[in-house]
Amino acid sequence: MELLDALERLRAIELAISAEKTLIIAELLAHGGTWQKAADACKVQKQTLHKAFKDQVNAVSRICNGESSEKVLRLMDLLHPQTVAWLIRVGHIEVHTAMVNGRRERVFRRNVPAIAAEQPVRRAHRGGSAAIPPRALRHVPLPRRPST
């Protein structure tokens, strides 16, 4: 059973790495980089990387360049659908349908009252006061390759 749990954790890590790679490639391309440079950095063939990530990268670009007021939620749904499904189940995200470019699409909205209602419960659960600052995120610098 421990081995199955380890495999599930490994799969979650792989999905997180894939999501991060998608975002980094999209940002690289948005700032003038190329698929070839991304492939070189990943130590794979350009065609391999392009085939694996082009649909996700294109979707990220469409979301980021679009007019949606909830871009972050749309990106989360694209890259971390299980997390969004959980947030919908607990009521932190409301899902509506709307016509977008002639197609019915899911539209996400944060449920601010539901999120706010849960905050006192979380603070009480942690045993702390509302004045406790959030944990600082550890900054991990990405290695930079010298430009040629």
Side-chain angles (χ1 to χ4, degrees), residues 1 7 25 27 52 56 96 105 117 126:
M1 214 44 153
L7 285 173
I25 292 169
E27 188 171 357
Q56 293 282 75
H96 305 280
E105 288 190 12
R126 286 192 308 223

Side-chain angles (χ1 to χ4, degrees), residues 34-37 39-40 44-52:
T34 64
W35 281 101
Q36 186 61 58
K37 288 188 183 214
D40 290 345
V44 297
Q45 294 291 317
K46 180 178 91 168
Q47 293 83 359
T48 303
L49 189 72
H50 189 261
K51 183 177 181 182

